[in-house]
């Protein structure tokens, strides 16, 4: 393996490839496996998704784990746990087993997401971050295309049982984690990171944007897919094809979107995202045609690429030594609503699915209003754009 290959960027791109190989398989199979294997209704799927998000809510504990293990090693161990959790899911087709394997998978997934975000913001120059994140999303798209395409072929053409599909893709992630552990040297971090929780007043807009992003994302992840299966009768293979189409978009366009975000700025990018999401969630509430629902599902996923702008906004306003701690804190903030909403909205779903999606539209509108506070050129001391005579005044860090 050449020194050029054994670089921090390659490490991050391999993480970007390995994560969706495992997680996309779990996600593509979840609704059908839960309904067919465990007899889940909206109530049980809501409970499962709330349990899945508990490790995300506890992502702030990553900063304490870093007292004992370097971030790079922690990322690989997290990938290993994610792969194991996915690999064994199919062996436990009852409610309790599905809950427990979901928690194990989620521990690996959320720690990996936290550390991956931290390492990306530390290792890359600010002017390259948005483009690289778009490139990483393209790699994720390629991995997801392979995963969803493989799931579709295995289920619809070869009639392979769920248990073997889970095992195949989970073990692939495990083997790739072992390879990365052996192949890559320990890279130097740019700045010594705080090993304690960091909450700063000047990051408040980033915290709020992260919170609302987590809330509306849960409505998509939990209930948009469930709508496709429960209301419109989509099979596991058809759901995999929808995901496949979504990630083809990431494969071909995410890198360009990342570069474009770097050009137009975070406020404009997020404005486009939240206007689009308001319309999409309203559409979910009203849709009665399966094909239109599929179009909404694809558009919903399309707007995820624009969320890169929240991270690059934070990178520009943050003190470098705050990044690892704040990455964990932001993931916890992102998952406050994620722990509560799926179970609560699972009960609302039993009464009116449309109300669930109208709430998603309201969250998108709130995010749109907050986005207007992002300055044209965010930086330390210029974190907020105020709409008065002091709009351009720099505010002291705290």
């Amino acid at each position: 393996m050449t020194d050029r290959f054994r670089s921090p960027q390659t490490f991050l791109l391999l993480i970007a490839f390995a994560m969706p190989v495992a997680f996309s398989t779990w996600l593509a199979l979840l609704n059908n496996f839960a309904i067919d294997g465990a007899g889940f209704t909206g109530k049980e799927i809501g409970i499962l998704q709330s349990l899945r998000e508990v490790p995300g809510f506890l992502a702030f504990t990553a900063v304490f784990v870093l007292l004992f293990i370097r971030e790079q090693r922690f990322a690989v161990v997290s990938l290993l746990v994610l792969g194991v959790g996915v690999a064994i899911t199919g062996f436990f087709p009852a409610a309790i087993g599905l809950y427990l394997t979901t928690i194990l998978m989620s521990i690996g997934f959320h720690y990996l997401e936290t550390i991956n975000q931290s390492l990306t913001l530390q290792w890359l120059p600010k002017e390259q971050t948005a483009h690289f994140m778009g490139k990483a999303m393209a790699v994720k798209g390629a991995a997801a295309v392979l995963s969803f395409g493989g799931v579709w072929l295995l289920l619809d053409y070869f009639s392979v049982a769920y248990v073997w599909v889970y095992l195949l893709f989970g073990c692939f992630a495990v083997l790739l984690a072992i390879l990365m552990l052996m192949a890559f040297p320990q890279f130097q971090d740019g700045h010594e990171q705080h090993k304690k929780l960091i909450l700063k007043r000047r990051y408040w807009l980033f915290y709020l944007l992260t919170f609302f992003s987590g809330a509306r994302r849960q409505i998509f992840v939990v209930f948009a897919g469930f709508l496709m299966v429960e209301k419109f009768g989509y099979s596991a293979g058809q759901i995999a094809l929808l995901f496949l189409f979504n990630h083809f978009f990431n494969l071909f366009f995410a890198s360009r979107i990342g570069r474009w975000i770097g050009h137009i700025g975070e406020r404009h990018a997020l404005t486009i995202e939240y206007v689009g999401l308001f319309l999409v969630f309203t559409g979910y509430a009203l849709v009665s045609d399966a094909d239109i629902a599929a179009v909404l599902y694809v558009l919903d996923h399309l707007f995820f690429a624009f969320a890169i702008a929240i991270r690059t906004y934070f990178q520009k306003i943050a003190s470098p030594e705050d990044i690892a701690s704040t990455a964990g804190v932001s993931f916890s903030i992102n998952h406050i609503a994620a722990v509560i909403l799926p179970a609560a909205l699972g009960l609302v779903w039993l009464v009116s699915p449309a109300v669930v999606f109208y709430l998603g539209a309201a969250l998108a509108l709130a995010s749109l209003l907050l986005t207007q506070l992002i300055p044209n050129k965010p930086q330390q001391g210029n974190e907020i754009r105020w709409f008065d005579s002091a709009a351009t005044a720099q505010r002291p860090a705290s």
Side-chain angles (χ1 to χ4, degrees):
M1 187 179 292
T2 65
D3 290 339
R4 183 178 179 182
F5 181 84
R6 301 169 70 203
S7 67
Q9 289 85 352
T10 303
F11 180 90
L12 292 171
L13 291 177
L14 278 176
I15 289 289
F17 182 82
M19 189 190 320
V21 167
F23 182 71
S24 295
T25 301
W26 183 88
L27 190 61
L29 296 177
L30 173 64
N31 287 309
N32 294 84
F33 184 63
I35 292 172
D36 297 342
F40 275 25
T41 67
K43 176 182 176 181
E44 288 80 19
I45 200 71
I47 292 172
L48 181 143
Q49 293 286 4
S50 287
L51 289 172
R52 181 174 74 88
E53 299 301 350
V54 169
F57 175 68
L58 297 175
F60 68 89
T61 60
V63 71
F64 303 120
V65 179
L66 294 179
L67 292 169
F68 307 100
I69 185 173
R70 297 285 295 273
E71 279 188 271
Q72 183 180 333
R73 182 66 58 88
F74 190 14
V76 177
V77 172
S78 298
L79 175 60
L80 188 67
V81 173
L82 167 62
V84 170
V86 172
I88 65 175
T89 296
F91 293 101
F92 301 93
I96 296 299
L98 193 50
Y99 291 156
L100 292 176
T101 55
T102 294
I103 291 172
L104 179 64
M105 178 280 301
S106 183
I107 289 171
F109 175 80
H110 285 101
Y111 274 144
L112 182 58
E113 279 278 85
T114 301
I115 300 304
N116 184 49
Q117 176 178 313
S118 172
L119 290 176
T120 300
L121 298 182
Q122 289 179 63
W123 285 348
L124 294 173
K126 294 178 183 179
E127 63 274 10
Q128 297 178 16
T129 303
H131 184 205
F132 181 84
M133 284 185 169
K135 186 176 181 180
M137 287 191 70
V139 171
K140 289 181 180 179
V145 165
L146 292 175
S147 296
F148 292 129
V151 168
W152 174 60
L153 286 172
L154 290 171
L155 291 177
D156 282 15
Y157 279 85
F158 298 103
S159 300
V160 177
Y162 288 125
V163 60
W164 304 118
V165 180
Y166 279 121
L167 185 64
L168 174 65
F169 288 97
C171 285
F172 178 85
V174 169
L175 292 174
L176 192 54
I178 294 172
L179 173 65
M180 294 176 67
L181 198 62
M182 297 187 298
F184 284 90
Q186 182 66 50
F187 302 117
Q188 290 296 117
D189 298 331
H191 294 83
E192 182 67 25
Q193 297 295 297
H194 289 301
K195 302 299 191 296
K196 59 182 179 180
L197 295 180
I198 299 293
L199 284 168
K200 290 188 175 180
R201 186 174 58 192
R202 66 187 181 93
Y203 299 156
W204 70 265
L205 180 57
F206 168 69
Y207 296 148
L208 274 179
L209 287 171
T210 299
F211 173 80
F212 282 112
S213 176
R216 72 93 182 159
R217 185 182 180 93
Q218 285 309 303
I219 295 176
F220 169 74
V221 170
V222 179
F223 295 105
F226 201 71
L227 177 78
M228 307 304 286
V229 175
E230 185 181 70
K231 183 174 181 178
F232 297 111
Y234 276 64
S235 69
Q238 289 172 320
I239 291 293
L241 277 179
L242 271 180
F243 279 117
L244 191 64
F245 189 87
N246 285 342
H247 288 284
F248 263 118
F249 171 84
N250 281 353
L251 176 61
F252 291 109
F253 296 106
S255 180
R256 297 175 185 177
I257 288 176
R259 186 186 296 115
W260 189 54
I261 290 171
H263 177 69
I264 67 172
E266 287 79 8
R267 186 173 76 250
H268 294 112
L270 291 173
T271 296
I272 293 170
E273 177 186 8
Y274 293 127
V275 169
L277 287 173
F278 175 81
L279 297 175
V280 166
F281 278 117
T282 302
Y284 278 140
L286 301 173
V287 68
S288 58
D289 180 86
D291 293 332
I292 295 176
V295 171
L296 291 172
Y297 195 82
V298 171
L299 289 174
D300 200 343
H301 183 86
L302 182 155
F303 288 114
F304 280 149
F306 289 85
I308 291 171
I310 296 178
R311 300 180 189 178
T312 59
Y313 165 65
F314 171 68
Q315 186 190 35
K316 291 177 179 179
I317 67 172
S319 300
E321 64 273 11
D322 292 348
I323 289 176
S325 175
T326 307
V329 170
S330 70
F331 260 80
S332 295
I333 292 172
N334 184 279
H335 288 80
I336 292 172
V339 171
I340 300 170
L341 278 180
L345 294 183
L347 298 176
V348 175
W349 182 273
L350 298 176
V351 179
S352 174
V355 172
V356 173
F357 295 118
Y358 281 130
L359 176 59
L363 291 170
L365 183 59
S367 298
L368 176 63
L369 295 176
L370 286 170
T371 293
Q372 306 316 304
L373 296 177
I374 297 177
N376 291 327
K377 295 182 178 180
Q379 58 186 329
Q380 291 188 56
N382 186 34
E383 297 89 2
I384 308 296
R385 171 177 173 256
W386 298 106
F387 299 98
D388 54 28
S389 59
T392 59
Q394 290 194 345
R395 298 171 61 82
S398 61

